[in-house]
Amino acid sequence: PVEQVSWKDIQQFIQRLNAKTGQSYRLPSEAEWEYAARAGSQSNYSFGDSESQLGQHAWYNLNGGFTTKTV
């Protein structure tokens, strides 16, 4: 994970990357990220609909301890 990098910093980096490569890079939108993460699933979560299983699949406010986790 990347932390302590602002959205503005990323936009400046992408702008320089685009100028250097002649390509058109950008960050995915929230909807595009969600679509990719779900891989076609229609459930509430990528692993199904059961909120009770959330802690087995993700770090979130109740189990994350407000720290960056290794992946």
Side-chain angles (χ1 to χ4, degrees), residues 45-47 50-65 69-71:
Y45 304 101
S46 60
F47 54 85
S50 178
E51 187 174 322
S52 66
Q53 293 181 3
L54 188 56
Q56 298 171 24
H57 299 275
W59 296 110
Y60 66 112
N61 65 333
L62 296 180
N63 71 351
K69 307 296 184 199
T70 58
V71 292

Side-chain angles (χ1 to χ4, degrees), residues 1-7 9-10 68:
V2 175
E3 57 183 35
Q4 299 182 4
V5 177
S6 73
W7 181 87
D9 291 339
I10 295 301
T68 302

